[in-house]
């Protein structure tokens, strides 16, 4: 599936559409989400992984992913491993220009790990996420939101 | 449309929206397909507001709303 943001205005509108969908889905029952889950996950992954996408789109898509995981609960399990790997690739990218995006990916990872429980196949990813979360907490200059994100991540994985 | 979104946040007026939610949803969907990006942007905002305030009635319209939102994101 190919999607692209043609201009800044188009990108912002796409981000708003993703936000609208995210808000809609987060209040749905898992049985209501089921018919759309496959398509929603595919679309979000395209926006999350598209390095050419506007930051707003990537960030909003990551936020949407967290909401969808919470709403879908165990229905997300078939997608979990691939999603964790996708988020892992974002977090291990040390480009400081995407710190906010890395933070949101961390939050998504925490939510995914909490829904599915412990899985030894994700040990490497879990270590990388934990390492990044600790960096966020230690850095005095880090955005407060990033530190809060790190705390939320630890709160989620404590439930695993 | 935007005004309707803000009205949905009002406890006193919420019932008026809920009573006619099907009609409001149909109008919202039409506006989500408007050629103007500004109109579509405003309607996306209203979807967010309705999703938070007009529950569960608006969410029960998911068969109408979700395909339109997915289309907007893909286009």
């Amino acid at each position: 599936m190919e999607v692209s943001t043609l201009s800044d205005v188009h990108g912002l509108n796409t981000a708003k559409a993703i936000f609208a969908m995210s808000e809609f889905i987060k209040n749905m029952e898992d049985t209501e989400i089921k018919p759309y889950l496959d398509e929603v996950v595919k679309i979000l992954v395209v926006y999350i992984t598209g390095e050419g996408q506007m930051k707003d789109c990537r960030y909003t898509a990551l936020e949407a992913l967290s909401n969808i995981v919470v709403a879908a609960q165990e229905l997300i399990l078939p997608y979990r491993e691939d999603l964790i790997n996708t988020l892992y690739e974002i977090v291990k990218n040390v480009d400081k220009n995407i710190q906010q995006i890395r933070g949101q990916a961390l939050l998504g990872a925490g939510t995914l790990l909490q829904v599915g429980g412990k899985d030894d196949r994700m040990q490497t990813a879990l270590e990388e996420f934990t390492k990044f979360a600790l960096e966020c907490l230690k850095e005095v200059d880090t955005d407060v939101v990033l530190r809060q994100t790190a705390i939320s991540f630890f709160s989620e994985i404590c439930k695993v | 449309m935007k005004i309707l979104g803000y009205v949905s946040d009002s406890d006193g007026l919420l019932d008026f929206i809920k009573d006619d939610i099907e009609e409001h949803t149909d109008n919202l969907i039409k506006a989500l397909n408007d050629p103007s990006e500004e109109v579509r942007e405003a309607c996306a905002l209203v979807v967010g507001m309705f999703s938070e305030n007009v529950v569960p009635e608006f969410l029960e319209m998911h068969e109408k709303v979700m395909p339109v939102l997915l289309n907007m994101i893909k286009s």
Side-chain angles (χ1 to χ4, degrees):
Chain A
M1 182 190 304
E2 258 191 55
V3 290
S4 61
T5 44
L6 305 169
S7 67
D8 285 352
V9 172
H10 182 251
L12 281 172
N13 281 337
T14 305
K16 286 183 176 132
I18 295 171
F19 172 76
M21 183 184 71
S22 170
E23 290 294 297
F24 192 78
I25 284 184
K26 83 176 183 193
N27 294 311
M28 282 169 84
E29 299 290 332
D30 54 354
T31 47
E32 290 169 332
I33 291 171
K34 196 174 174 187
Y36 314 104
L37 191 57
D38 195 62
E39 195 176 356
V40 167
V41 169
K42 279 189 183 134
I43 287 173
L44 289 181
V45 167
V46 168
Y47 279 102
I48 286 166
T49 55
E51 290 188 15
Q53 294 292 342
M54 282 183 67
K55 269 190 201 172
D56 282 339
C57 282
R58 288 187 83 189
Y59 185 90
T60 311
L62 281 162
E63 210 170 32
L65 183 66
S66 291
N67 284 339
I68 283 150
V69 168
V70 170
Q73 287 295 305
E74 292 186 357
L75 290 176
I76 205 72
L77 291 179
Y79 307 92
R80 191 170 88 129
E81 193 174 345
D82 286 343
L83 287 172
I84 288 282
N85 289 336
T86 298
L87 298 174
Y88 168 60
E89 290 299 321
I90 294 171
V91 166
K92 77 175 189 181
N93 180 345
V94 295
D95 180 358
K96 296 255 181 219
N97 288 328
I98 62 161
Q99 283 293 75
Q100 298 289 349
I101 290 171
R102 290 175 81 204
Q104 201 58 40
L106 181 67
L107 203 54
T111 312
L112 271 164
L113 289 164
Q114 192 269 315
V115 164
K118 198 170 174 193
D119 187 332
D120 290 336
R121 289 172 299 175
M122 296 176 201
Q123 194 56 35
T124 309
L126 178 58
E127 284 168 10
E128 194 67 34
F129 294 135
T130 305
K131 198 170 105 187
F132 176 59
L134 287 169
E135 279 169 23
C136 288
L137 287 179
K138 280 192 286 187
E139 285 278 336
V140 174
D141 295 336
T142 303
D143 191 325
V144 164
V145 171
L146 265 180
R147 293 172 79 177
Q148 288 171 340
T149 301
I151 292 167
S152 296
F153 170 77
F154 285 120
S155 155
E156 290 296 328
I157 64 169
C158 281
K159 299 172 199 167
V160 173
Chain B
M1 264 294 144
K2 236 180 177 174
I3 292 172
L4 212 53
Y6 289 116
V7 164
S8 75
D9 202 10
S10 146
D11 287 339
L13 298 172
L14 186 56
D15 284 343
F16 291 106
I17 294 179
K18 286 187 174 186
D19 287 346
D20 295 318
I21 190 58
E22 202 157 337
E23 185 187 337
H24 292 313
T25 303
D26 288 340
N27 289 334
L28 187 55
I29 284 168
K30 221 184 278 184
L32 282 168
N33 287 309
D34 196 277
S36 161
E37 282 204 16
E38 281 166 348
V39 171
R40 295 200 304 272
E41 179 192 330
C43 289
L45 188 66
V46 174
V47 168
M49 289 177 172
F50 272 23
S51 302
E52 202 176 319
N53 299 317
V54 192
V55 290
E57 289 83 356
F58 185 56
L59 301 178
E60 287 164 4
M61 302 281 118
H62 61 86
E63 284 180 12
K64 289 186 182 183
V65 175
M66 277 300 293
V68 175
L69 289 176
L70 287 168
N71 220 42
M72 268 181 89
I73 294 166
K74 285 191 285 190
S75 68

